[in-house]
Amino acid sequence: MSKIDNEAFEWVARRHARGLGCAESAAFDAWYAADTRHQGAYVRAMAIYNAINLATVPQAAAPQADRPRRGFVKYAAMAACLAATAGAMNFSGLFEDKVLVTAKGEFRKVPLQDKSIATINGGSRIEVEFTSRERKIDLQKGEAWFEVAKDKSKPFIVSAGDARIRAVGTAFSVRRFAQGAEVLVTEGTVEVWSKGRTSQRRQLTAGERAFLEPEASAISITRQPSEVNRKLAWREGQLILKNQTLSDAVADFNRYSPKTIVIADAALGSKRLFGQYKLDAPELFAKDVSTVLAVPVTITADTIFIGR
């Protein structure tokens, strides 16, 4: 690999392993802006990182902060091989895609043209429009987590129905529901409001959650750092249950699993559960439910029935 490619890999690994401090962020911004070759190398490194990250998601043994860098080391030969041929590849699509779509159970981690990153959950659709004055994301369905590059001159605004979320240099997720949108903040501060109600703008900081309903007279904000982390465990291919109902757990699994889980006995839906599962392991979840609740489970080719 070239010196520039090595530098790009190092920036990507460092950013995702532990984040960048203020001095490092300034150094990265200077490096990125200094040469268009740096920008191309960074996009290539991000693309390779995404491929490696998706390939290693099920391996949950390493601590979260350590896993990206270990993946880079473990797959260094793969990265070198990909980088050697990257010059012949066209990465412009990462910058030019206006519509990003994921199928059920599919995850995408997409670097945007401003150095922000969108991690898109399964069954989602977003439209991207960057202008000279603002960066606009329209979440039409599903969920996405955004790591926003700092640029005070161009606000980063996500729309989800009537909900509006504005951020500069922060990280947050937005999930769209039929009755509104949920916002979870993992870093920095975001501003939220509903369309036509700009006077009711509220600010959220890291560890806070808000749900924006179209006709609500006020925006409800709660501080729930552990719940924010639990809800975003899908980024690591995990589903974490901490006193969730069986109905809620099944609904979450059905967002990802190729096999549909059905609660055959409606009375079981309110039972509370604890546990941690891989998103692609619905059978294991069902068997644990069978043991804990002492109910039968029937598994067919495309459906899992819990209860009689």
Side-chain angles (χ1 to χ4, degrees):
M1 292 189 292
S2 71
K3 180 176 180 293
I4 291 176
D5 282 321
N6 281 328
E7 291 172 350
F9 276 115
E10 178 61 28
W11 279 120
V12 170
R14 195 181 305 171
R15 178 175 183 178
H16 289 278
R18 56 174 172 74
L20 301 180
C22 293
E24 287 181 313
S25 292
F28 168 72
D29 289 341
W31 176 86
Y32 186 88
D35 195 323
T36 56
R37 292 176 300 171
H38 293 179
Q39 297 165 22
Y42 184 76
V43 173
R44 291 194 295 272
M46 271 303 309
I48 293 169
Y49 169 86
N50 292 339
I52 293 171
N53 192 49
L54 290 174
T56 58
V57 157
Q59 300 176 3
Q64 179 178 346
D66 233 17
R67 201 171 303 137
R69 179 173 285 275
R70 290 189 184 183
F72 255 62
V73 172
K74 182 176 180 180
Y75 289 90
M78 179 197 300
C81 188
L82 287 171
T85 60
M89 298 171 66
N90 178 14
F91 289 87
S92 61
L94 294 172
F95 282 178
E96 295 173 358
D97 282 353
K98 298 298 183 183
V99 180
L100 302 171
V101 180
T102 55
K104 180 180 180 180
E106 176 192 8
F107 305 95
R108 292 184 65 185
K109 198 165 191 174
V110 183
L112 305 177
Q113 66 191 63
D114 66 333
K115 297 181 292 183
S116 297
I117 298 172
T119 303
I120 309 169
N121 204 344
S124 301
R125 177 188 174 96
I126 68 174
E127 287 195 3
V128 181
E129 183 183 357
F130 283 15
T131 70
S132 59
R133 298 167 64 176
E134 62 182 358
R135 299 168 285 173
K136 296 191 293 183
I137 304 288
D138 183 11
L139 177 65
Q140 298 178 344
K141 69 172 183 175
E143 180 178 17
W145 179 61
F146 302 96
E147 298 171 89
V148 181
K150 293 180 181 179
D151 187 346
K152 292 183 179 180
S153 67
K154 297 179 184 179
F156 189 100
I157 300 175
V158 178
S159 302
D162 287 340
R164 300 290 184 271
I165 304 92
R166 181 182 185 274
V168 175
T170 185
F172 65 97
S173 75
V174 183
R175 181 178 176 185
R176 187 166 177 176
F177 294 85
Q179 69 275 27
E182 180 183 56
V183 181
L184 307 173
V185 182
T186 56
E187 180 185 329
T189 303
V190 303
E191 187 177 42
V192 299
W193 70 95
S194 293
K195 183 180 179 181
R197 297 173 182 250
T198 55
S199 62
Q200 298 180 359
R201 293 178 184 239
R202 299 286 304 277
Q203 286 195 338
L204 281 74
T205 59
E208 292 187 329
R209 170 191 179 273
F211 194 87
L212 287 78
E213 299 178 75
E215 303 301 324
S217 58
I219 298 171
S220 174
I221 297 176
T222 56
R223 180 161 187 80
Q224 300 175 299
S226 62
E227 183 66 0
V228 167
N229 291 332
R230 187 193 72 79
K231 284 176 172 284
L232 292 175
W234 59 266
R235 298 172 299 167
E236 301 296 323
Q238 301 287 328
L239 177 63
I240 299 175
L241 305 176
K242 293 182 178 179
N243 204 34
Q244 271 64 54
T245 65
L246 176 61
S247 292
D248 287 342
V250 166
D252 279 336
F253 259 111
N254 284 339
R255 295 174 66 195
Y256 308 100
S257 172
K259 288 187 178 182
T260 301
I261 304 177
V262 175
I263 303 175
D265 181 355
L268 298 173
S270 61
K271 300 295 184 180
R272 299 281 174 172
L273 302 169
F274 292 83
Q276 182 169 331
Y277 300 91
K278 293 181 181 179
L279 295 176
D280 59 357
E283 293 92 345
L284 176 60
F285 163 74
K287 289 176 181 177
D288 282 357
V289 170
S290 175
T291 300
V292 171
L293 301 183
V295 297
V297 166
T298 304
I299 300 177
T300 68
D302 55 9
T303 307
I304 298 173
F305 297 93
I306 298 177
R308 293 185 175 85

